[in-house]
């Protein structure tokens, strides 16, 4: 199986960058935001709502929902997460799993 050389080069670059604590901190923060944004969009789709319908139920603008689902919303609070969960018929669970040991790669 042939691997994509560009992806391999990116993985090498990323692993080098992740050795820098400041870069790693920013990377982990953005990775968590993107994962949350993707989950919100996925659950909204499963609920068969478009962004405008979801926004109406949340009493926010469609643009706000778009920012939530792209990870661009800067003011995400626990209260907002709870409102999103309730609107989607879900509960909120927050966990703090153990970090990957430093010797293990992110890929």
């Amino acid at each position: 199986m042939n691997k994509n050389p560009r992806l391999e080069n990116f993985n090498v670059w990323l692993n080098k960058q992740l050795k820098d604590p400041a870069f790693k901190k920013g990377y982990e923060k953005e990775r968590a935001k993107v994962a949350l944004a993707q989950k919100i969009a996925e659950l909204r789709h499963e609920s068969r709502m478009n962004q405008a319908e979801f926004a109406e139920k949340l009493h926010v603008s469609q643009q706000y929902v778009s920012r939530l689902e792209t990870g661009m919303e800067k003011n995400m609070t626990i209260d907002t997460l709870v409102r999103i969960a309730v609107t989607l018929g879900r509960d909120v669970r927050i966990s703090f799993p153990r970090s990957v040991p430093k010797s293990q790669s992110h890929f």
Side-chain angles (χ1 to χ4, degrees), residues 14-16 33 36 48 51 58 61 64 66 73 79 82 84 86 88 96 101:
L14 180 59
N15 283 325
K16 285 181 184 175
K33 283 173 49 177
L36 178 59
R48 294 183 169 83
Q51 286 186 343
L58 286 173
S61 69
Y64 181 81
S66 177
E73 179 53 44
D79 289 340
V82 170
I84 290 167
V86 168
L88 296 169
F96 297 91

Side-chain angles (χ1 to χ4, degrees), residues 31 33 35 39-40 46 71 75 97 100 106:
R31 193 172 89 170
K33 283 173 49 177
K39 190 64 174 176
I40 291 168
E46 285 177 11
N75 295 317
V100 175
H106 282 70

